[in-house]
Amino acid sequence: MSITVRQSVTAPGIGTPGAGSARQVWRRLRRRPSAALAAGVLALLVLLALAAPLLAQLSGQDPNAYHDELVDSARGGVPFGSFGGISADHWLGVEPGTGRDLFTRLVYGARISLLVALGATAVQVFVGVVAGLAAALGNRFVGQVIGRLTDVMIALPMLVLGIALTAVVPPDFPRPLLLILIIGLLDWGGIARMVRAQTLALRGLDFVDAARLAGNGTVRIARRELLPSLAAPVITFAAIKVPTAMVAEASLSFLGVGVKPPTPSWGQMLSSAQTWFRADPMYVLLPAGLLFATVLAFTVLGDAVRTALDPREGSRLRVGTRKERTA
């Protein structure tokens, strides 16, 4: 008579029940200067976006107010003064052609860019987690249908479909909400595939078998046993998807199918700045620099969160580096 013993070992990157408290994760994050810097940059941007009305009052400027006297009509609308018309009243200069205050438009644009990116990521995570769990825990037919649908969603060109969908939606539909739905519902395939693979690896472990033997149903096992173990990879994937969603919003706005004027957006500002990059480089550099800094900060923070939630990867990297140095 043979006895089969199942070893409860998780694959790298798969969370385990009770593995690392929030305090331990926070302690690991604080040890990384790059993570602290990235978090500080993101906190500052979020604070600027939330305080946009207050900052507009402090500067005494309206983001949609035109100032024709601040641009040179003889030169096609180039702002008077150096560096795009920077002055005591206009801290970062004015917009070419219209004279609108650039600082207030940038902080209001941060609201749209961050709102769309975070909202679209939330939609992606929700749809992807539900689809991945259903594909892994459902019957064979459900798994095959969701698997083929996931493959199709991954293969679809999101920008092309986004342009087509925004063109047929009524113009009075709120554009930020439309962008959240389009980006979120067209880009959940990667998360669904990852959740399905992780769930297939987890469902054969002892703690899941014990929950099943205790009489728990599939939904209860997914909610109480699997979701806590999936938290680490899902949070890591979400942190990486936020900058992707931000770039997608900027791309759609740059192509003229995103946020509509006069609502400011970094992508929309870059779209109108392409004709002014020689006459007024500041009008291009400011929104492009903010977009680059935000995407970079989210990427660095996402990598730090991944290492903090899975410290074994950081240990492997340190061991590999030590071996290379001693070789």
Side-chain angles (χ1 to χ4, degrees):
M1 179 173 135
S2 62
I3 300 176
T4 302
V5 179
R6 178 175 295 155
Q7 187 176 6
S8 178
V9 179
T10 58
I14 300 178
T16 56
S21 63
R23 185 177 301 175
Q24 291 175 328
V25 173
W26 173 247
R27 189 181 302 116
R28 296 179 193 131
L29 284 175
R30 288 193 303 175
R31 294 173 184 170
R32 297 173 63 98
S34 59
L37 180 60
V41 171
L42 293 176
L44 178 60
L45 288 172
V46 171
L47 181 62
L48 289 175
L50 294 176
L54 177 61
L55 293 173
Q57 289 182 357
L58 290 176
S59 64
Q61 302 297 330
D62 186 341
N64 298 321
Y66 284 62
H67 300 280
D68 296 332
E69 72 280 1
L70 300 178
V71 295
D72 189 357
S73 57
R75 298 173 56 197
V78 178
F80 288 113
S82 57
F83 300 105
I86 292 179
S87 64
D89 295 327
H90 303 279
W91 300 341
L92 295 180
V94 296
E95 188 178 61
T98 63
R100 292 182 291 191
D101 183 71
L102 197 53
F103 172 75
T104 55
R105 292 189 64 78
L106 284 172
V107 294
Y108 272 97
R111 280 187 153 192
I112 298 297
S113 297
L114 292 174
L115 173 65
V116 171
L118 295 175
T121 302
V123 174
Q124 292 170 11
V125 169
F126 177 77
V127 177
V129 169
V130 172
L133 286 173
L137 300 178
N139 56 39
R140 184 176 180 181
F141 175 76
V142 173
Q144 289 181 346
V145 170
I146 296 179
R148 300 293 79 78
L149 179 61
T150 302
D151 295 338
V152 171
M153 298 305 298
I154 293 176
L156 286 176
M158 186 184 67
L159 283 180
V160 176
L161 284 177
I163 294 172
L165 291 174
T166 52
V168 300
V169 173
D172 56 346
F173 193 88
R175 278 303 188 190
L177 178 59
L178 177 62
L179 291 176
I180 289 173
L181 294 176
I182 288 177
I183 298 173
L185 295 177
L186 292 180
D187 197 23
W188 53 266
I191 298 180
R193 179 176 289 180
M194 181 272 296
V195 170
R196 178 181 179 275
Q198 302 282 48
T199 304
L200 289 175
L202 283 170
R203 71 177 186 178
L205 299 183
D206 292 341
F207 71 97
V208 179
D209 289 341
R212 190 179 295 112
L213 291 174
N216 294 316
T218 302
V219 175
R220 186 178 178 85
I221 291 175
R223 180 170 56 87
R224 300 196 61 178
E225 305 295 339
L226 296 176
L227 281 180
S229 300
L230 291 171
V234 168
I235 291 174
T236 301
F237 209 100
I240 297 174
K241 295 299 290 184
V242 170
T244 304
M246 182 169 287
V247 172
E249 182 276 327
S251 301
L252 291 173
S253 297
F254 180 83
L255 295 173
V257 294
V259 177
K260 296 297 183 182
T263 304
S265 167
W266 291 348
Q268 179 199 101
M269 295 174 72
L270 285 173
S271 177
S272 59
Q274 61 182 330
T275 58
W276 300 98
F277 69 94
R278 291 184 182 274
D280 187 10
M282 292 295 293
Y283 187 39
V284 183
L285 293 176
L286 286 173
L290 284 173
L291 182 62
F292 173 78
T294 307
V295 171
L296 180 62
F298 270 117
T299 304
V300 172
L301 186 60
D303 180 71
V305 169
R306 173 175 56 84
T307 305
L309 290 172
D310 184 17
R312 290 170 295 179
E313 179 168 349
S315 301
R316 290 193 296 270
L317 291 176
R318 287 193 295 272
V319 170
T321 304
R322 190 181 301 114
K323 287 182 178 179
E324 292 175 1
R325 290 177 179 175
T326 57

mmCIF file with all atom_site columns, all heavy atoms in Angstrom, residues 164-177:
data_model
loop_
_atom_site.group_PDB
_atom_site.id
_atom_site.type_symbol
_atom_site.label_atom_id
_atom_site.label_alt_id
_atom_site.label_comp_id
_atom_site.label_asym_id
_atom_site.label_entity_id
_atom_site.label_seq_id
_atom_site.pdbx_PDB_ins_code
_atom_site.Cartn_x
_atom_site.Cartn_y
_atom_site.Cartn_z
_atom_site.occupancy
_atom_site.B_iso_or_equiv
_atom_site.pdbx_formal_charge
_atom_site.auth_seq_id
_atom_site.auth_comp_id
_atom_site.auth_asym_id
_atom_site.auth_atom_id
_atom_site.pdbx_PDB_model_num
ATOM 1   N N   . ALA A 1 164 ? -12.089 53.903 -32.264 1.00 0.00 ? 164 ALA A N   1
ATOM 2   C CA  . ALA A 1 164 ? -13.382 53.578 -32.876 1.00 0.00 ? 164 ALA A CA  1
ATOM 3   C C   . ALA A 1 164 ? -14.532 53.759 -31.889 1.00 0.00 ? 164 ALA A C   1
ATOM 4   O O   . ALA A 1 164 ? -15.593 54.301 -32.248 1.00 0.00 ? 164 ALA A O   1
ATOM 5   C CB  . ALA A 1 164 ? -13.350 52.141 -33.399 1.00 0.00 ? 164 ALA A CB  1
ATOM 6   N N   . LEU A 1 165 ? -14.341 53.317 -30.655 1.00 0.00 ? 165 LEU A N   1
ATOM 7   C CA  . LEU A 1 165 ? -15.416 53.413 -29.661 1.00 0.00 ? 165 LEU A CA  1
ATOM 8   C C   . LEU A 1 165 ? -15.696 54.858 -29.263 1.00 0.00 ? 165 LEU A C   1
ATOM 9   O O   . LEU A 1 165 ? -16.853 55.251 -29.091 1.00 0.00 ? 165 LEU A O   1
ATOM 10  C CB  . LEU A 1 165 ? -15.064 52.581 -28.427 1.00 0.00 ? 165 LEU A CB  1
ATOM 11  C CG  . LEU A 1 165 ? -15.059 51.060 -28.630 1.00 0.00 ? 165 LEU A CG  1
ATOM 12  C CD1 . LEU A 1 165 ? -14.557 50.348 -27.388 1.00 0.00 ? 165 LEU A CD1 1
ATOM 13  C CD2 . LEU A 1 165 ? -16.456 50.568 -28.998 1.00 0.00 ? 165 LEU A CD2 1
ATOM 14  N N   . THR A 1 166 ? -14.650 55.658 -29.085 1.00 0.00 ? 166 THR A N   1
ATOM 15  C CA  . THR A 1 166 ? -14.873 57.056 -28.717 1.00 0.00 ? 166 THR A CA  1
ATOM 16  C C   . THR A 1 166 ? -15.542 57.836 -29.840 1.00 0.00 ? 166 THR A C   1
ATOM 17  O O   . THR A 1 166 ? -16.188 58.860 -29.583 1.00 0.00 ? 166 THR A O   1
ATOM 18  C CB  . THR A 1 166 ? -13.542 57.729 -28.364 1.00 0.00 ? 166 THR A CB  1
ATOM 19  O OG1 . THR A 1 166 ? -12.596 57.516 -29.421 1.00 0.00 ? 166 THR A OG1 1
ATOM 20  C CG2 . THR A 1 166 ? -12.972 57.185 -27.071 1.00 0.00 ? 166 THR A CG2 1
ATOM 21  N N   . ALA A 1 167 ? -15.397 57.358 -31.070 1.00 0.00 ? 167 ALA A N   1
ATOM 22  C CA  . ALA A 1 167 ? -16.013 58.068 -32.196 1.00 0.00 ? 167 ALA A CA  1
ATOM 23  C C   . ALA A 1 167 ? -17.516 57.836 -32.281 1.00 0.00 ? 167 ALA A C   1
ATOM 24  O O   . ALA A 1 167 ? -18.250 58.686 -32.799 1.00 0.00 ? 167 ALA A O   1
ATOM 25  C CB  . ALA A 1 167 ? -15.347 57.646 -33.501 1.00 0.00 ? 167 ALA A CB  1
ATOM 26  N N   . VAL A 1 168 ? -18.001 56.688 -31.770 1.00 0.00 ? 168 VAL A N   1
ATOM 27  C CA  . VAL A 1 168 ? -19.428 56.369 -31.888 1.00 0.00 ? 168 VAL A CA  1
ATOM 28  C C   . VAL A 1 168 ? -20.212 56.720 -30.635 1.00 0.00 ? 168 VAL A C   1
ATOM 29  O O   . VAL A 1 168 ? -21.448 56.731 -30.660 1.00 0.00 ? 168 VAL A O   1
ATOM 30  C CB  . VAL A 1 168 ? -19.617 54.872 -32.221 1.00 0.00 ? 168 VAL A CB  1
ATOM 31  C CG1 . VAL A 1 168 ? -18.934 54.524 -33.531 1.00 0.00 ? 168 VAL A CG1 1
ATOM 32  C CG2 . VAL A 1 168 ? -19.077 53.991 -31.102 1.00 0.00 ? 168 VAL A CG2 1
ATOM 33  N N   . VAL A 1 169 ? -19.522 57.015 -29.538 1.00 0.00 ? 169 VAL A N   1
ATOM 34  C CA  . VAL A 1 169 ? -20.215 57.368 -28.297 1.00 0.00 ? 169 VAL A CA  1
ATOM 35  C C   . VAL A 1 169 ? -20.726 58.804 -28.392 1.00 0.00 ? 169 VAL A C   1
ATOM 36  O O   . VAL A 1 169 ? -20.032 59.679 -28.937 1.00 0.00 ? 169 VAL A O   1
ATOM 37  C CB  . VAL A 1 169 ? -19.270 57.200 -27.088 1.00 0.00 ? 169 VAL A CB  1
ATOM 38  C CG1 . VAL A 1 169 ? -19.912 57.719 -25.815 1.00 0.00 ? 169 VAL A CG1 1
ATOM 39  C CG2 . VAL A 1 169 ? -18.904 55.746 -26.923 1.00 0.00 ? 169 VAL A CG2 1
ATOM 40  N N   . PRO A 1 170 ? -21.938 59.098 -27.913 1.00 0.00 ? 170 PRO A N   1
ATOM 41  C CA  . PRO A 1 170 ? -22.456 60.478 -27.964 1.00 0.00 ? 170 PRO A CA  1
ATOM 42  C C   . PRO A 1 170 ? -21.494 61.455 -27.309 1.00 0.00 ? 170 PRO A C   1
ATOM 43  O O   . PRO A 1 170 ? -20.853 61.148 -26.301 1.00 0.00 ? 170 PRO A O   1
ATOM 44  C CB  . PRO A 1 170 ? -23.777 60.388 -27.191 1.00 0.00 ? 170 PRO A CB  1
ATOM 45  C CG  . PRO A 1 170 ? -24.195 58.959 -27.322 1.00 0.00 ? 170 PRO A CG  1
ATOM 46  C CD  . PRO A 1 170 ? -22.931 58.159 -27.348 1.00 0.00 ? 170 PRO A CD  1
ATOM 47  N N   . PRO A 1 171 ? -21.370 62.666 -27.870 1.00 0.00 ? 171 PRO A N   1
ATOM 48  C CA  . PRO A 1 171 ? -20.386 63.628 -27.345 1.00 0.00 ? 171 PRO A CA  1
ATOM 49  C C   . PRO A 1 171 ? -20.695 64.128 -25.942 1.00 0.00 ? 171 PRO A C   1
ATOM 50  O O   . PRO A 1 171 ? -19.799 64.640 -25.268 1.00 0.00 ? 171 PRO A O   1
ATOM 51  C CB  . PRO A 1 171 ? -20.432 64.775 -28.369 1.00 0.00 ? 171 PRO A CB  1
ATOM 52  C CG  . PRO A 1 171 ? -21.762 64.632 -29.049 1.00 0.00 ? 171 PRO A CG  1
ATOM 53  C CD  . PRO A 1 171 ? -22.063 63.170 -29.064 1.00 0.00 ? 171 PRO A CD  1
ATOM 54  N N   . ASP A 1 172 ? -21.964 64.009 -25.486 1.00 0.00 ? 172 ASP A N   1
ATOM 55  C CA  . ASP A 1 172 ? -22.293 64.491 -24.158 1.00 0.00 ? 172 ASP A CA  1
ATOM 56  C C   . ASP A 1 172 ? -21.960 63.473 -23.059 1.00 0.00 ? 172 ASP A C   1
ATOM 57  O O   . ASP A 1 172 ? -22.127 63.770 -21.875 1.00 0.00 ? 172 ASP A O   1
ATOM 58  C CB  . ASP A 1 172 ? -23.776 64.874 -24.078 1.00 0.00 ? 172 ASP A CB  1
ATOM 59  C CG  . ASP A 1 172 ? -24.690 63.708 -24.466 1.00 0.00 ? 172 ASP A CG  1
ATOM 60  O OD1 . ASP A 1 172 ? -24.186 62.717 -25.040 1.00 0.00 ? 172 ASP A OD1 1
ATOM 61  O OD2 . ASP A 1 172 ? -25.906 63.800 -24.201 1.00 0.00 ? 172 ASP A OD2 1
ATOM 62  N N   . PHE A 1 173 ? -21.492 62.288 -23.429 1.00 0.00 ? 173 PHE A N   1
ATOM 63  C CA  . PHE A 1 173 ? -21.088 61.294 -22.431 1.00 0.00 ? 173 PHE A CA  1
ATOM 64  C C   . PHE A 1 173 ? -19.792 61.762 -21.774 1.00 0.00 ? 173 PHE A C   1
ATOM 65  O O   . PHE A 1 173 ? -18.873 62.216 -22.462 1.00 0.00 ? 173 PHE A O   1
ATOM 66  C CB  . PHE A 1 173 ? -20.877 59.935 -23.089 1.00 0.00 ? 173 PHE A CB  1
ATOM 67  C CG  . PHE A 1 173 ? -20.757 58.797 -22.115 1.00 0.00 ? 173 PHE A CG  1
ATOM 68  C CD1 . PHE A 1 173 ? -21.888 58.132 -21.672 1.00 0.00 ? 173 PHE A CD1 1
ATOM 69  C CD2 . PHE A 1 173 ? -19.519 58.392 -21.639 1.00 0.00 ? 173 PHE A CD2 1
ATOM 70  C CE1 . PHE A 1 173 ? -21.785 57.075 -20.779 1.00 0.00 ? 173 PHE A CE1 1
ATOM 71  C CE2 . PHE A 1 173 ? -19.405 57.357 -20.750 1.00 0.00 ? 173 PHE A CE2 1
ATOM 72  C CZ  . PHE A 1 173 ? -20.548 56.692 -20.304 1.00 0.00 ? 173 PHE A CZ  1
ATOM 73  N N   . PRO A 1 174 ? -19.695 61.701 -20.440 1.00 0.00 ? 174 PRO A N   1
ATOM 74  C CA  . PRO A 1 174 ? -18.475 62.184 -19.760 1.00 0.00 ? 174 PRO A CA  1
ATOM 75  C C   . PRO A 1 174 ? -17.220 61.488 -20.278 1.00 0.00 ? 174 PRO A C   1
ATOM 76  O O   . PRO A 1 174 ? -17.097 60.263 -20.194 1.00 0.00 ? 174 PRO A O   1
ATOM 77  C CB  . PRO A 1 174 ? -18.738 61.854 -18.280 1.00 0.00 ? 174 PRO A CB  1
ATOM 78  C CG  . PRO A 1 174 ? -20.215 61.736 -18.167 1.00 0.00 ? 174 PRO A CG  1
ATOM 79  C CD  . PRO A 1 174 ? -20.694 61.210 -19.477 1.00 0.00 ? 174 PRO A CD  1
ATOM 80  N N   . ARG A 1 175 ? -16.295 62.266 -20.812 1.00 0.00 ? 175 ARG A N   1
ATOM 81  C CA  . ARG A 1 175 ? -15.106 61.702 -21.424 1.00 0.00 ? 175 ARG A CA  1
ATOM 82  C C   . ARG A 1 175 ? -14.196 60.955 -20.444 1.00 0.00 ? 175 ARG A C   1
ATOM 83  O O   . ARG A 1 175 ? -13.695 59.872 -20.776 1.00 0.00 ? 175 ARG A O   1
ATOM 84  C CB  . ARG A 1 175 ? -14.304 62.809 -22.110 1.00 0.00 ? 175 ARG A CB  1
ATOM 85  C CG  . ARG A 1 175 ? -14.796 63.173 -23.491 1.00 0.00 ? 175 ARG A CG  1
ATOM 86  C CD  . ARG A 1 175 ? -14.811 61.972 -24.402 1.00 0.00 ? 175 ARG A CD  1
ATOM 87  N NE  . ARG A 1 175 ? -15.114 62.369 -25.767 1.00 0.00 ? 175 ARG A NE  1
ATOM 88  C CZ  . ARG A 1 175 ? -15.381 61.531 -26.748 1.00 0.00 ? 175 ARG A CZ  1
ATOM 89  N NH1 . ARG A 1 175 ? -15.416 60.255 -26.519 1.00 0.00 ? 175 ARG A NH1 1
ATOM 90  N NH2 . ARG A 1 175 ? -15.627 61.951 -27.963 1.00 0.00 ? 175 ARG A NH2 1
ATOM 91  N N   . PRO A 1 176 ? -13.930 61.493 -19.245 1.00 0.00 ? 176 PRO A N   1
ATOM 92  C CA  . PRO A 1 176 ? -13.098 60.709 -18.323 1.00 0.00 ? 176 PRO A CA  1
ATOM 93  C C   . PRO A 1 176 ? -13.688 59.335 -18.010 1.00 0.00 ? 176 PRO A C   1
ATOM 94  O O   . PRO A 1 176 ? -12.955 58.335 -17.993 1.00 0.00 ? 176 PRO A O   1
ATOM 95  C CB  . PRO A 1 176 ? -13.034 61.595 -17.076 1.00 0.00 ? 176 PRO A CB  1
ATOM 96  C CG  . PRO A 1 176 ? -13.231 62.981 -17.592 1.00 0.00 ? 176 PRO A CG  1
ATOM 97  C CD  . PRO A 1 176 ? -14.210 62.840 -18.706 1.00 0.00 ? 176 PRO A CD  1
ATOM 98  N N   . LEU A 1 177 ? -15.003 59.263 -17.778 1.00 0.00 ? 177 LEU A N   1
ATOM 99  C CA  . LEU A 1 177 ? -15.642 57.972 -17.514 1.00 0.00 ? 177 LEU A CA  1
ATOM 100 C C   . LEU A 1 177 ? -15.547 57.065 -18.734 1.00 0.00 ? 177 LEU A C   1
ATOM 101 O O   . LEU A 1 177 ? -15.312 55.849 -18.603 1.00 0.00 ? 177 LEU A O   1
ATOM 102 C CB  . LEU A 1 177 ? -17.100 58.189 -17.120 1.00 0.00 ? 177 LEU A CB  1
ATOM 103 C CG  . LEU A 1 177 ? -17.929 56.924 -16.859 1.00 0.00 ? 177 LEU A CG  1
ATOM 104 C CD1 . LEU A 1 177 ? -17.311 56.096 -15.755 1.00 0.00 ? 177 LEU A CD1 1
ATOM 105 C CD2 . LEU A 1 177 ? -19.373 57.285 -16.536 1.00 0.00 ? 177 LEU A CD2 1
#
